[in-house]
Amino acid sequence: MRALPAGARVYLSCAVLLAGGCVLSGASGLARAPWDAVALLAVLYAVCELLPRCPFVGHSVSVDPGAFFPVPLAAVFLLPPSAAALAVLPGALLGRVWRRPSGVRRVWRAAELSVAVWTASSLRTWWGEGAGGFPGVLVPAGVAVLGFCAVLTALDGGILVTAERMPVRTAWRGLFPRSLAPHCVHGLAGLMMAVLWRSPYGPVAALFVLLPMYLSCWVFTQYQRERDAHRSTIRALVQAVDIKDRYTRGHSERVGRASAMMAAELGMDEERREVLRFAGILHDVGKLGVPTRILRKDGPLTPEERRVIELHPEYGHEMVRGIGFLGEARAAILHHHERMDGSGYPYGLSGERIPEFARVVAVADAFDAMTSTRSYRRARPVPEALAELERCAGTQFDARMVNALVAALDREGWNPEVTAGETAAEPPRAEGPDPSRGAAGPRPLPLPAPARPRSSAEPAGAAPHLPEGLDVSGGKG
C-alpha cells in the first residue's frame, strides 16, 4: 500500500468505503435476504475464481480474471442490492492476481466489483422485473448490465489516472466501448443462470451455463497467450538488432509507435494499427544479416558497402516471411526504402505501387532518425524534421502519410528518447577518443553517404532527395 502514490491510496480507500456502504446500505433488508442463495452464489463465485489457481487444473485451463462475471450478474438478477454486493466479495478477494502488489489488487477488485454489482442490482430493482415476462425482462436486465459496465469502466479509468499516472484525457478513451460487448455476453449468461435457478430444476441446472462460458473464455485466453508469444518473438528480434547496431538503440520501438499514431490518424481499424506497429518495430530486422563492421563503421560507406546495406530489406523479408500473423507488415519490411519517384530500393517501386504500410513506415523511420540524438550528431527539433519531410513529400515520401504524421503529432505530441548512450544535456562529440569503440585517436566527422545515381525518371532540377546515409534512415541504410 505504501508503494502506491498518495492519490491512488486515497482513491482506493474511497472505493473500499463506498463498497462497505453498498453492503451496509440495506442492513435491514439483509435480514430478509435469501441467505441460502447468497451463500451458494458466494461459494460458487469463489470456486470459479480459485479454479485458475489450482495446481492440477490451472496450468492447463487457466483463464483471466473476469471470465466468471456471469455469476456476479446472476446475483444481480436474483438478490437485493446489498446481498448481491456481499455475495461477490469472497470470490473477488480470493481470485488470482497477475501483478503485484497482489493484496492491494485483490482489495481493489473486490471493492469495484461490489460497487458495480450493487449499482446494477439497484437499477434492476428500480426498473422492475419487466412486463409480460420474456422478452420484457430483457429491458431491466439490459439496464442493469449497462450500469455494471459503466461503473467498472469509470472506476478503472480512475485507478489508471491515480495509480498508473495515465493522462486524464486518455484514461477513459475507448474503455467503455471495449468493455460493453463482453459484459453484454456475460449479462445474457447471468440472466440464463437466474432463469434456470428459479426454474423447477433448481440451482444445479444453472451451473450448466458456466461450462460453455468457461470454455469460450479459455479459448480467448489461449488466443491472448499466443499474441503475447508473438510479441515476445518480436521483442527478441528487436533486441538482437539493437545489440548489433547499438547506435540506433530504441529506434525500432519509436518507429513502431509513430507508425501506430499515423495509422490511427489515417482511420485504420485496431487490428491493422497493431500490424502496422509490428511493421515499424521490425522494419530493420534485416540488419541482422549485414556484417557488424559495416553497421558500426565510422565515416562514409564505399559503394560496395552501400550495396550490402541495401540488401537489409530483403534479408528482413526472408526472416519474417513465414510468420503468418505479421500480414501486411512483411511488405512494409521489404519496401520501406522505396521512394515515391521510383528511385528507392530494393525494386524501384513508385507511387501507389509501394504498399501502404511501407509508405507509412518510411515516413516514421525518417522522422525518428532526424529527431533522435546519435553519436555523430544532435537531434533535429521536431518542427525542423517535419519541414524536411514536407519538403520531400511527393518525391521521396507519400504526402498523405506526411500529413498524417503532422496531424498525429499536433494531437498527441512526441517525446523522442536519447539513444546511443548520449544524454540530452551532453552534446555529441565530433572528435576525440570513443571508449565504446576502443578508438585511440580522434574520430572523423561523419560524411554524407555516396550519392545515388539519378533515376532516369527523375527530371533535371527536381528537388534533391534526403541523404540516404546518416541523417534520415535509422543509422546507415
Side-chain angles (χ1 to χ4, degrees):
M1 185 74 172
R2 292 179 180 177
L4 292 176
R9 293 199 296 270
V10 172
Y11 187 80
L12 176 60
S13 300
C14 291
V16 171
L17 290 175
L18 183 59
C22 290
V23 173
L24 299 176
S25 62
S28 58
L30 284 176
R32 300 188 299 273
W35 282 102
D36 55 344
V38 174
L40 281 173
L41 286 168
V43 171
L44 177 60
Y45 187 48
V47 170
C48 289
E49 288 293 342
L50 285 171
L51 187 60
R53 302 176 65 185
C54 175
F56 303 105
V57 179
H59 178 72
S60 58
V61 292
S62 61
V63 297
D64 287 336
F68 295 104
F69 274 176
V71 179
L73 287 166
V76 166
F77 302 129
L78 289 168
L79 302 174
S82 297
L86 180 63
V88 301
L89 288 178
L93 289 171
L94 294 173
R96 184 172 185 174
V97 175
W98 300 98
R99 295 171 58 192
R100 296 181 179 179
S102 57
V104 173
R105 291 181 183 275
R106 286 196 180 95
V107 170
W108 162 250
R109 186 171 61 185
E112 69 165 347
L113 189 57
S114 181
V115 173
V117 166
W118 183 90
T119 303
S121 183
S122 298
L123 289 171
R124 191 264 309 169
T125 304
W126 171 75
W127 195 278
E129 295 294 336
F134 187 85
V137 70
L138 293 177
V139 177
V143 171
V145 171
L146 286 175
F148 180 81
C149 182
V151 171
L152 283 183
T153 53
L155 293 174
D156 283 341
I159 204 67
L160 289 175
V161 172
T162 57
E164 304 292 340
R165 302 187 185 278
M166 185 176 291
V168 174
R169 63 189 180 91
T170 60
W172 285 276
R173 182 184 299 171
L175 201 57
F176 182 79
R178 288 196 302 269
S179 304
L180 185 57
H183 284 156
C184 286
V185 174
H186 292 156
L188 285 174
L191 182 60
M192 292 172 61
M193 285 189 65
V195 170
L196 289 173
W197 191 289
R198 291 174 174 171
S199 72
Y201 301 102
V204 176
L207 299 180
F208 288 97
V209 176
L210 292 178
L211 182 60
M213 287 297 302
Y214 181 77
L215 290 176
S216 64
C217 291
W218 176 78
V219 170
F220 180 74
T221 301
Q222 305 316 304
Y223 168 73
Q224 292 289 358
R225 286 183 174 180
E226 184 177 354
R227 287 175 62 89
D228 290 341
H230 292 163
R231 293 189 180 97
S232 298
T233 300
I234 290 172
R235 192 177 302 115
L237 288 171
V238 172
Q239 287 175 346
V241 175
D242 285 347
I243 291 172
K244 187 166 187 175
D245 189 8
R246 60 175 177 264
Y247 292 118
T248 59
R249 187 166 297 139
H251 167 70
S252 296
E253 293 287 350
R254 292 192 300 274
V255 171
R257 178 157 54 95
S259 298
M261 291 167 57
M262 294 166 64
E265 195 65 36
L266 292 168
M268 296 183 186
D269 60 46
E270 186 172 356
E271 183 176 352
R272 293 193 78 206
R273 290 201 300 269
E274 182 74 356
V275 174
L276 184 51
R277 188 175 70 87
F278 288 158
I281 291 173
L282 290 173
H283 74 286
D284 273 345
V285 70
K287 286 184 177 180
L288 292 174
V290 178
T292 305
R293 63 177 178 81
I294 297 179
L295 290 176
R296 298 185 179 183
K297 180 182 178 181
D298 284 324
L301 300 175
T302 66
E304 292 76 15
E305 291 168 337
R306 171 62 62 182
R307 284 192 288 271
V308 173
I309 282 283
E310 290 181 357
L311 290 173
H312 83 269
E314 295 176 274
Y315 291 157
H317 183 258
E318 284 298 314
M319 292 173 64
V320 303
R321 187 169 59 177
I323 305 179
F325 73 89
L326 288 177
E328 293 179 82
R330 297 193 295 269
I333 293 169
L334 179 61
H335 296 294
H336 70 277
H337 278 295
E338 305 284 3
R339 302 178 182 229
M340 295 299 289
D341 61 6
S343 64
Y345 62 88
Y347 299 128
L349 302 183
S350 62
E352 296 296 323
R353 295 178 59 200
I354 305 173
E356 183 181 29
F357 276 22
R359 285 177 272 145
V360 171
V361 172
V363 173
D365 184 21
F367 171 75
D368 180 69
M370 287 189 287
T371 56
S372 298
T373 296
R374 301 290 167 80
S375 59
Y376 42 78
R377 56 129 175 89
R378 274 189 177 278
R380 297 189 189 185
V382 169
E384 182 180 325
L386 292 178
E388 189 72 7
L389 291 174
E390 290 172 339
R391 183 181 69 81
C392 295
T395 55
Q396 181 172 350
F397 305 113
D398 187 333
R400 187 166 70 97
M401 306 310 172
V402 174
N403 293 335
L405 178 62
V406 172
L409 294 177
D410 285 342
R411 186 182 70 249
E412 300 185 32
W414 184 254
N415 184 25
E417 299 173 6
V418 177
T419 58
E422 299 288 347
T423 61
E426 181 183 356
R429 294 176 299 174
E431 58 182 8
D434 184 358
S436 65
R437 298 202 182 192
R443 184 177 57 190
L445 288 170
L447 301 176
R452 291 181 56 85
R454 183 183 297 277
S455 168
S456 59
E458 181 177 352
H465 299 302
L466 290 173
E468 273 189 28
L470 303 175
D471 277 336
V472 296
S473 59
K476 300 179 179 70

